[in-house]
Amino acid sequence: MPPKDIAIVGAGLAGLACAKTLAAYDVRLRLFDKGRSPGGRMATRRVEAEGQVLNFDHGAQYLTAHGAAFAAALDAAHAQEWPDAGRRVGVPRMSSVPRALAEGMDIDLQRQVTQITGGPGAWYLHHLDARLIRPGRPFPTQAPEREGPFDAVVLAMPAPQAGALLAGPAPHLAAVLEVVRFEPCWALMLAFPQRLDLPDAIRLESGPIGWAARDSSKPGRDANQELWVVQGGPAWSREHLELEAEQAGTLLLEAFARHAGGSLPAPFYKAAHRWRHALVEVPLGAPCLWDASLGLGATGDWCIGARAEAAVDSAAALVAAIRSS
Ligand SMILES: Cc1cc2nc3c(=O)[nH]c(=O)nc-3n(C[C@H](O)[C@H](O)[C@H](O)COP(=O)(O)OP(=O)(O)OC[C@H]3O[C@@H](n4cnc5c(N)ncnc54)[C@H](O)[C@@H]3O)c2cc1C
């Protein structure tokens, strides 16, 4: 019989798509995410600098729909074409796409799930306030809160993170995930006082930079601003993964200046973000992971491939598997 009480951990595209489809059935759902807002890697960072509000799409850059389901999700979110007819972006920011999916959903935000305990039919999630868990700081000593029991738990997060949570209750599932590999990515956000003499979207096959885009050229953005997102290529990002953000940002800015012909005006905002799990390098090769006897499963882009649509397709496959349990 399909599970009735389901917890989904992760409110990126995969978790949200899973929740939206499951909500049509007679199930009780809880959705948890460690972030301040849903969306995961479909992210937009909002900052204030020099009296201006700046929005940077520092995660996914553009979306391509190969299938009808993702095309419909993009239509529903009013995504628009950029930089050409084959690609689309969220409007007025990339995070608008997951926000549209999340509409009307209750999500427990800033809750980092640290452990799954219990057993089939009665799983428990243990979670901490994510604001207390900071890289480089001691792990919080307070006792995590416990939620449950749940008949089923779905992990909708990058495979290495899902594997860490599954290692206790289902080591055989955690072992299956070990095949999955991600490319890391350093993403540099820059705001310039004047327009740069460069095209809106730049892809480079060698050197430190893999991609650079004039974020402010996307539809629905403030065209008076000159905002850029510059991504380190996968090899460069991997080699420089453990740098401090300030240092990685400076190196990428120097590389961007070289690409621009030697010099650039000084940016009035500069910040780098490290994505340890950015794009899928080696996928699982199965549309989702589901153990019906345990009531434990996992979903995400990493099941299928390196694009956002894969997250939605994987979620659809997991819901189908859960419903046929
Ligand atoms: C820099 C970058 C560029 C990209 N460019 C593109 C592109 O141009 N085109 C494209 O199609 N795709 C691109 N992608 C990939 C795209 O963003 C992903 O395929 C998609 O967003 C994956 O969705 P997901 O739901 O599978 O995972 P995620 O978006 O990673 O969602 C996982 C969620 O789980 C939460 N979480 C993790 N662990 C826990 C925990 N322990 N407790 C609670 N919550 C937890 C996270 O906060 C997150 O919200 C890019 C990604 C990055 C990082």
Side-chain angles (χ1 to χ4, degrees), residues 9-16 32-43 58-64 70 94 108 110-115 127 156-158 161-162 165 182-187 203 211 229 231 273 275 277-280 299-302 305-312 314:
V9 188
L13 275 191
L16 292 170
F32 300 86
D33 199 286
K34 66 181 179 181
R36 263 186 303 178
S37 50
R41 282 171 279 158
M42 296 267 297
H58 64 306
Q61 295 294 295
Y62 56 79
L63 305 165
T64 46
F70 196 52
M94 203 51 129
D108 286 288
Q110 297 193 314
R111 305 310 309 179
Q112 176 151 350
V113 174
T114 54
Q115 201 186 5
H127 55 81
M157 60 186 64
Q161 296 166 349
L165 286 174
F182 276 86
E183 288 169 348
C185 178
W186 272 111
R203 184 171 293 290
W211 163 266
V229 170
Q231 291 179 347
H273 180 86
W275 294 99
H277 308 112
L279 287 170
V280 178
T299 176
D301 56 350
W302 50 269
R307 43 179 223 282
E309 183 172 24
V312 172
S314 169

